[in-house]
Amino acid sequence: MNGVLIPQTPIAVDFWSLRRAGSARLFFLSHMHSDHTVGLSSTWTRPLYCSPITAYLLHRHRQVSKQWIRALEVGESHVLPLDEVGRETMTVTLIDANHCPGSVMFLFEGYFGTILYTGDFRYTPSMLKEPALRLGKQIHTLYLDNTNCNPALVLPSQEEAARQIVELIRKHPQHNIKIGLYSLGKESLLEQLALEFRTWVVLSPRRLELVQLLGLADVFTVEEKAGRIHAVDHMEICHSAMLRWNQTHPTIAILPTSRKIYRSHPDIHIIPYSDHSSYPELRAFVEALRPCQVVPIVRRQPCRDYFQDSLSPRLSVPLIPDSVQQYMSSSSRNPSFLWLLLERKLKRLRTQGVVFESLEENADHSQADRDLKKTKNENLSGELEKQPSHHPLKIKKQPFLDIRNKEWEGAVPSSESQKMVTVLTAPSGFSVHLGSTDKEFSSPETGEEISVGPYLVPRGDNAGSAATGNPRAWMGQDSPQSHSSKAAPLLAPEYRGLAVKYLLTPVNFLQVGFSSRGFDQQAEKYHQPCS
């Protein structure tokens, strides 16, 4: 089990044993691999924070109730309460971990200093360009994925390992190819192979659903005989399976992994394609961040003294604020309604006002987006037709699959429809949308709506990216950062509730550091009539 209870805090990451969780009250999930979800099941009844893709998979495949899942947008900072009175908060920022779909690193900032938990990750220099890391802030504790933290283990880059796989397949032009994978991860490698060899990649229905969600190229199918590359479970690749496959058609198997695996058949090939950072990559990452201490995530593989020359001076252990101590020592049963309400108020501040959209302009933009998508798809199809192929593939990038149905509504991006929370009456020719960044679910104690996570819609200025299925193009609905005049005149009497006032208050007017009651007072003050 790879998970941690962060000392002197109520934070637990990838740790799901409530019996041993002690004073942990805030639970975070880095990704959906089984060694990070031990103990997490449909009986879970605590708020759980993760990325939107992980949120979907968690509900879909682990049957965790939606009311406990808090999907936080990757690349954004989120303020969460650390007590039940609103005195202490922390900021958590999610950073893409380059490991598997939905995997993230967590950057925690609060009274305890700054803590970075990498989860499983494959380092790339672009990570250091993330706004949350490039500001030169001091990392006090770095929880590091040390899976490959061994100077004797030499690993190629993912690009080089992919080239080795391509060359191996080229040497067997008449063979079927079995790629042994875990249930999640390396989907982009399959896409690359499909495009390289102009063949469909055969997947299980469950994995096909995942690649459609990711918006990869339309090169995947469940038809067994449609293509020569088949993605199978890594446990299926064994001596008896190789004998069976080769009886019907010449076959080779490829295991893209850095793990040491015994080859039970000469047609099984192990290529060191890894989703974990190599030792030189770990060295570069730590040297760039210069944390005060490094804590290994994989306890059976300690880091030894590999990073001692790259550390900053240690700091004293912070004192735990009284309100946080009371929260940590309170009952470990379900969170109180007061805490859930405070959590909701803090999240509500992410909504940045009102979006005014002309009905005519809206229709024009929609038609322009459709035309742009059509043009891109035609261009891609035309390029493919110029190349000889026994399996002409559609290389269009699929937008995120619209999977908002009875089982899951709105927790992942959808390319075809957008849901606005509230529509107010506005001057003629305009519609006023209160675009919430949070998907609402019901509290089991009161039946009141509580916030579960960001509702994702395509940004208007990134239509091209959205059309290509780029996950980074999906963000919270844009809205004005400030107003030249107060929004109070727009409020009809029936809409003067505090919730609507929050939505109509610019973010820069609300000052961080107030209690929840203080935020209410600020919103009321903003909407007082001008004297």
Side-chain angles (χ1 to χ4, degrees):
M1 174 175 168
N2 293 326
V4 298
L5 301 172
I6 299 181
Q8 314 298 320
T9 77
I11 302 170
V13 189
D14 296 343
F15 194 99
W16 313 109
S17 173
L18 292 176
R19 181 175 56 84
R20 297 189 292 121
S23 58
R25 298 292 180 269
L26 291 147
F27 295 87
F28 295 82
L29 174 60
S30 65
H31 65 291
M32 278 292 292
H33 278 163
S34 59
D35 55 333
H36 291 257
T37 57
V38 175
L40 183 56
S41 68
S42 59
T43 61
W44 185 260
T45 57
R46 304 289 189 281
L48 182 161
Y49 301 90
C50 59
S51 69
I53 291 177
T54 297
Y56 170 77
L57 297 174
L58 185 62
H59 175 72
R60 179 76 168 172
H61 301 309
R62 290 295 179 108
Q63 288 76 50
V64 174
S65 175
K66 290 181 288 186
Q67 73 185 57
W68 300 116
I69 300 175
R70 311 297 199 258
L72 303 179
E73 180 56 52
V74 179
E76 294 186 2
S77 296
H78 309 265
V79 179
L80 299 178
L82 289 174
D83 57 25
E84 294 186 305
V85 295
R87 189 174 304 159
E88 286 292 335
T89 62
M90 75 168 178
T91 299
V92 57
T93 306
L94 281 65
I95 302 171
D96 188 343
N98 187 34
H99 177 68
C100 71
S103 63
V104 293
M105 301 186 281
F106 293 109
L107 182 69
F108 302 105
E109 300 173 87
Y111 71 86
F112 42 76
T114 303
I115 297 171
L116 178 61
Y117 179 92
T118 67
D120 290 347
F121 85 121
R122 184 79 195 245
Y123 169 73
T124 63
S126 62
M127 290 176 175
L128 300 176
K129 297 179 182 179
E130 290 287 337
L133 294 178
R134 71 182 178 193
L135 299 178
K137 61 184 63 174
Q138 179 64 61
I139 304 296
H140 299 111
T141 303
L142 172 62
Y143 287 89
L144 186 67
D145 172 19
N146 57 313
T147 301
N148 293 328
C149 188
N150 181 356
L153 179 60
V154 179
L155 287 177
S157 66
Q158 286 183 326
E159 292 75 18
E160 174 57 31
R163 282 194 292 269
Q164 293 180 24
I165 294 174
V166 168
E167 289 303 317
L168 177 61
I169 297 176
R170 281 184 179 149
K171 292 178 181 178
H172 299 81
Q174 304 303 320
H175 286 63
N176 283 343
I177 313 298
K178 305 289 184 179
I179 310 285
L181 304 174
Y182 294 101
S183 60
L184 187 66
K186 299 183 173 68
E187 287 77 15
S188 59
L189 172 63
L190 297 177
E191 178 189 46
Q192 179 181 346
L193 296 177
L195 298 177
E196 178 72 29
F197 293 100
R198 311 289 301 166
T199 180
W200 297 96
V201 173
V202 180
L203 306 177
S204 66
R206 174 169 170 167
R207 201 170 200 117
L208 180 63
E209 178 186 355
L210 173 63
V211 298
Q212 290 174 331
L213 173 66
L214 298 176
L216 298 180
D218 185 13
V219 294
F220 302 98
T221 182
V222 295
E223 297 181 23
E224 191 69 21
K225 298 181 179 181
R228 58 186 291 240
I229 299 179
H230 296 231
V232 300
D233 187 272
H234 70 289
M235 296 297 291
E236 289 186 47
I237 296 182
C238 58
H239 186 271
S240 60
M242 294 304 302
L243 294 177
R244 184 176 69 255
W245 289 329
N246 275 292
Q247 284 179 351
T248 57
H249 194 280
T251 301
I252 64 169
I254 299 174
L255 289 169
T257 179
S258 61
R259 297 175 182 270
K260 294 182 179 180
I261 298 176
Y262 171 70
R263 287 181 59 191
S264 59
H265 190 279
D267 287 332
I268 297 177
H269 302 266
I270 301 171
I271 305 294
Y273 184 104
S274 180
D275 290 324
H276 298 269
S277 302
S278 65
Y279 178 74
E281 291 168 344
L282 292 176
R283 286 282 305 176
F285 186 61
V286 176
E287 286 175 0
L289 294 180
R290 301 194 68 82
C292 297
Q293 64 174 330
V294 174
V295 179
I297 291 176
V298 183
R299 288 178 290 275
R300 67 178 181 274
Q301 169 117 0
C303 289
R304 300 182 184 178
D305 299 325
Y306 295 143
F307 306 110
Q308 287 302 313
D309 58 343
S310 301
L311 301 183
S312 297
R314 293 284 291 270
L315 301 179
S316 58
V317 178
L319 296 176
I320 306 176
D322 291 340
S323 60
V324 179
Q325 285 187 349
Q326 294 175 9
Y327 179 49
M328 294 168 65
S329 61
S330 63
S331 171
S332 61
R333 292 177 296 178
N334 292 353
S336 67
F337 172 71
L338 179 62
W339 190 93
L340 293 172
L341 184 61
L342 177 59
E343 178 198 38
R344 186 186 184 190
K345 285 190 175 183
L346 288 172
K347 283 193 174 185
R348 192 182 292 162
L349 297 178
R350 296 181 58 219
T351 305
Q352 301 182 350
V354 182
V355 181
F356 293 87
E357 295 181 350
S358 167
L359 297 180
E360 294 82 357
E361 290 180 2
N362 212 18
D364 293 341
H365 285 313
S366 298
Q367 183 60 43
D369 290 346
R370 286 193 294 270
D371 293 342
L372 179 60
K373 289 183 182 180
K374 182 178 180 181
T375 301
K376 287 190 173 184
N377 289 337
E378 289 176 350
N379 291 341
L380 286 170
S381 300
E383 291 175 5
L384 289 173
E385 290 172 0
K386 296 176 183 177
Q387 306 177 27
S389 171
H390 298 291
H391 298 280
L393 303 182
K394 299 176 182 177
I395 312 303
K396 67 175 183 178
K397 289 282 188 174
Q398 300 179 11
F400 283 101
L401 179 65
D402 189 353
I403 45 182
R404 286 183 296 165
N405 51 32
K406 295 181 180 179
E407 292 185 309
W408 186 268
E409 297 183 7
V412 294
S414 168
S415 62
E416 298 300 329
S417 58
Q418 303 178 17
K419 183 177 181 180
M420 296 300 178
V421 176
T422 310
V423 179
L424 302 183
T425 302
S428 177
F430 288 88
S431 62
V432 184
H433 302 294
L434 298 184
S436 172
T437 56
D438 293 330
K439 175 65 183 171
E440 304 291 337
F441 288 78
S442 297
S443 166
E445 291 92 346
T446 64
E448 185 182 65
E449 300 269 320
I450 62 174
S451 177
V452 168
Y455 178 75
L456 306 180
V457 295
R459 294 168 67 109
D461 57 352
N462 283 321
S465 297
T468 61
N470 181 3
R472 295 185 179 276
W474 296 87
M475 306 290 286
Q477 176 75 6
D478 277 345
S479 50
Q481 296 288 334
S482 60
H483 300 272
S484 58
S485 61
K486 290 188 177 181
L490 289 174
L491 288 174
E494 60 268 29
Y495 295 119
R496 291 186 183 273
L498 183 59
V500 176
K501 290 183 180 181
Y502 263 112
L503 296 173
L504 295 175
T505 302
V507 171
N508 58 6
F509 187 84
L510 297 170
Q511 302 179 37
V512 177
F514 285 79
S515 65
S516 57
R517 180 175 297 179
F519 279 124
D520 294 349
Q521 292 171 350
Q522 290 180 70
E524 293 283 3
K525 181 179 179 180
Y526 180 80
H527 293 287
Q528 289 177 355
C530 297
S531 57

